Amino acid sequence: MAERCAVIGIGQTKHASARTDVSIAGLVREAALRALDDAGLDWADIDAVVIGKAPDMFEGVMMPELYLAPALGAVGKPMMRVHTAGSVGGSTVLVAAHLVTSGIHERVLTVAFEKQSDSDAMWALSVPQPFSPPLLAGAGGYFAPIIRAYIRRSGAPDHIGIAVAVKDRLHGSRNPYAHLHMPDITFESVRDSVMLWDPLRYLETCPSSDGAAAMVLASEQAAASSPAPAWVHGMAMRSEPTMFAGRDQVNPRAGRDCVADVYAQAGITEPRREIDVAEVYVPFSWYEPMWLENLGFAAEGEGWKLTDSGATSMDGGDIPWNCSGGVLCTNPIGASGMLRFAEAALQVRGLAGEHQVDGVRRALGHAYGGGSQFFAMWVLGSEKP
Amino acid sequence: MADTEVLSSPHILEYPYSRSVGPVIGSFLAGLRDGKVLGVRCGSGAGERVVVPPTEYDPLTGEDSGEMVEVGPGGVVTSWAWESEPLQGAPLDKPFAWALVRLDGATTAMLHVVDAGSAGAMATGMRVLPRLVEPSARVGSILDLACFVPEGSDSPVRAQPAEPGNPAQPDDPAQPDDPAQPDDPAQPDDPAQPDDPVTTLSTPIRLDYRFSAGISQSRFLRGLVEGVFIGQRCPRCAKVYVPPRGSCPTDGVPTTEDVELSDTGTVTTFCVVNVPFQGQAIELPYVCAQVLLDGANISFMHLIQGIPADEVRMGLRVRAVWKPPAERGPSLESVLCFEPTGEPDAPYESYEEYL
Ligand SMILES: [Zn+2]
C-alpha cells in the first residue's frame, strides 16, 4: 500500500434485539457521533463517507444510503455504499481504507448497520424460489450441513461447538455494548437448548440484533495527533462462486487466499505466535474451529483441538478469539463484520475495557458472507508498519 | 411445450415491515393523528428554514434539526402531475394530482395528492386546503391527511377513513423478534390515543417479479415432467452440473451437452430443520439434504423421507420419489422427496470432494 492508514476513532451503538427508540438514521448517527468524539473530530473534518449494510430486504428500504447522507454529515461530500452480504462490514472498512492508502482522502468515516427488528432475516433468507420446493431455512439451514461435513472430516467431538458457545458468551458478558449478556451460561444450558438445525443448537446460534458500528480512518499525517492510533499492517478481500463442482465449502479457498495475502503484507509467518488477539466472524459456534484452520492458526483437521485446549479463551488462552463476545453475542448483520474490525482496533489501542487483553501489539479482524464466498480481513498493529 | 421455450414464473416478495421511526418522525406522525402538520426548524439566522415533512438532521448541513413547529393548514401547489389511472394502493381510487405542496409557514414543499376532479382544475400556484380522515380512524400515518383540495372548493375538511389494505394501515404488523409467531400483532389495531407517541410504522411491501428460468434450466425442468433429471457437461472440465446453469462456473464456457442422469444418488450432508418461521411450508422436523445424483458432479438440496430423521446419515443411498405423471409440472416439486434405496451406504471417499 502506498500511504499508511490508521484507525483513530471507533464508535458503536448499544446493540439490542429491537432499538425501537431510534430510526435507522438515528441508529447510524449514534455510532458515527461516538467515532467522531473518540477521534476528537467534527463532521466538517471528514472528507468522505463509506457505508455498508447487508441486503435491502432486511429492512425493506431500497438504497438506504440515499436517505442517510444528512445523518452522516455526508452532504456535499463523496459517499458510497458497499454490499458483500454478511462480510459487508469488513469490506466497507477496506474500501474506506483504500481511499486513505491511495492518498485520495485524509479522514474517512466508515459506518455499517442493520436493523433486524424492522423485519425478519429468517424470512428474508428463506423466500421460496420458483421451480423449487420450499426447503430454504435461513442461514442456519445453509450452514448446518457444512458444519456436519466439518465434524465428519475432522473427527471433532460434539462438545466443541458447545464450548465455543459458552466461551464467547462469557467473553461478551464483559462487553457493555454486546446484545446478549449471559454471564451464567453453562455447558449444560447450551447442550440442552433446542436443536434448531441439527447439528446446530439454539444457543450455538447468533442472535438477531439492531446495531451500528463506525470508525474514522486517517492518513499518517491526520493520525499524528491521535493518542492511540491502530495502524493497518495488511488488508485484503477475496471472493469465489457460491457453487462449483469440487468446491471446498468447509475450508474455502477464498478465505485461505485472502488471509495469505494479509499475512504476507504484515510479514506474518506464524499467526498463532505473531497475532495477539483475533476478532473472527463466528455466527455459529462450529465456525471457530473451522476458521482456526482456514486462517492458519491450526493445521487442517486440528482447529477443534485448539478450541478444546482453551487456547482461544481470554481466560488463560494464548490466542484469544472474540473477546468482545463476537457474532454469537451481537449480530446486526451488516455491522457484524465492522464490529470485528473495530474490536481488533480497540484491542490494539488498549481501549477495549473489561474485555481488553494485556499488551496487544497485533490483532486480526475478519468477516465472511454469502455462502462463505466473500472474505474481508485486516491485521492492525500498535506500531507503524 | 416447445423444446426451446424458456419457462418463467411469478416471484412475489411480500412482507409487513415494522419500522421504528425515531422521535422526530414520531412527532410528525403523532401530529397528523392529532389533525395538524408539523415541520422542523433547521439552520439559524438568514439560513433558518422550516422543513416539512420534518427530517431528523438538517438536509443541508447534517446538524441536528431544531424545534417542531405547526404549519398550514393551507398551502400552495409548487408543481404537480395528473394521475388519470390510479394504480392499486394509490392514495385515492379516482383520478387525482400528485402535487408538491408548500404549506403556509414552511420553507420546503411536501409530496401529497390533490383531489381536484380534473386536470383542468389544477394549476401551479393554486391554494389548497387539507382534508383529514375522521379522528377515530387516524393511526399516525401520512394518510391521516387523506388529500388536499382546492381552496374554495365545496369539500369537507373531514374525510372517510382510508380503504383497508392501504399501505400505511397497521393492520397486520409482524412480531419481528419471534419468527415462531409471525402473526402476533406488534401493536393494537385500535387507533392510538392522542397522548401516545408514535414509535413504529407498519409498512407492508409487495414486489411482483417475473422469474425466468433460462434455456438450460428450462430443459431440466421439462425433464422433470417426464420423470428424468437432465444435467449438462462442461466441454472443458467434463464436470456434470444438475440443475444445469448454462455455463461452467469454473471455466466460464457454455455447457451444451445434455446428460440424462440416474434418479438415484447419495446424501453428502444434511441438517434436520426444526425451526419455524414465516412462510415455512413443510411440517417440522424435516431433513434437508444435499443429494449428489449418480453421474453428477454437484449436489442439490432436497427433502429426505421414508426414514426417521435421526437415522439419516452422510453416505445414505437414496432414490427420487416422483409425483404421479399427471401431477408433475416443470418444477423440482415434481420430486416429492428422496427415500432410501436400501443399498449399503456409499463410502466416504466417494463423495468427500463434494462437501
Ligand atoms: Zn468446466
Side-chain angles (χ1 to χ4, degrees), chain A residues 22-23 29 57 59 115 145 196, chain B residues 17 19-20 56 62 269 274:
Chain A
V22 287
S23 63
R29 179 99 164 177
M57 286 252 288
E59 288 88 3
K115 202 156 183 317
L196 292 182
Chain B
Y17 289 93
R19 204 152 279 149
S20 59
E56 294 181 86
T269 186
N274 195 27

Side-chain angles (χ1 to χ4, degrees), chain A residues 50-73:
Chain A
V50 183
I51 184 170
K53 73 168 300 307
D56 291 351
M57 286 252 288
F58 288 166
E59 288 88 3
V61 181
M62 291 296 288
M63 298 186 284
E65 64 277 13
L66 300 186
Y67 118 87
L68 293 174
L72 295 172

Side-chain angles (χ1 to χ4, degrees), chain A residues 14-73:
Chain A
K14 168 59 189 160
H15 311 289
S17 60
R19 284 292 306 271
T20 52
D21 57 319
V22 287
S23 63
I24 292 172
L27 191 72
V28 297
R29 179 99 164 177
E30 184 176 314
L33 280 172
R34 285 177 181 161
L36 284 179
D37 187 51
D38 183 25
L41 300 176
D42 203 348
W43 296 112
D45 300 317
I46 298 298
D47 302 323
V49 178
V50 183
I51 184 170
K53 73 168 300 307
D56 291 351
M57 286 252 288
F58 288 166
E59 288 88 3
V61 181
M62 291 296 288
M63 298 186 284
E65 64 277 13
L66 300 186
Y67 118 87
L68 293 174
L72 295 172

Side-chain angles (χ1 to χ4, degrees), chain B residues 234 237 248 251:
Chain B
C234 172
C237 66
C248 172
D251 296 301

Side-chain angles (χ1 to χ4, degrees), chain A residues 225-250:
Chain A
S225 57
S226 171
W231 296 95
V232 178
H233 286 204
M235 56 178 166
M237 293 180 259
R238 288 290 187 283
S239 55
E240 68 182 37
T242 322
M243 54 179 75
F244 58 90
R247 179 175 186 220
D248 187 344
Q249 297 221 66
V250 174

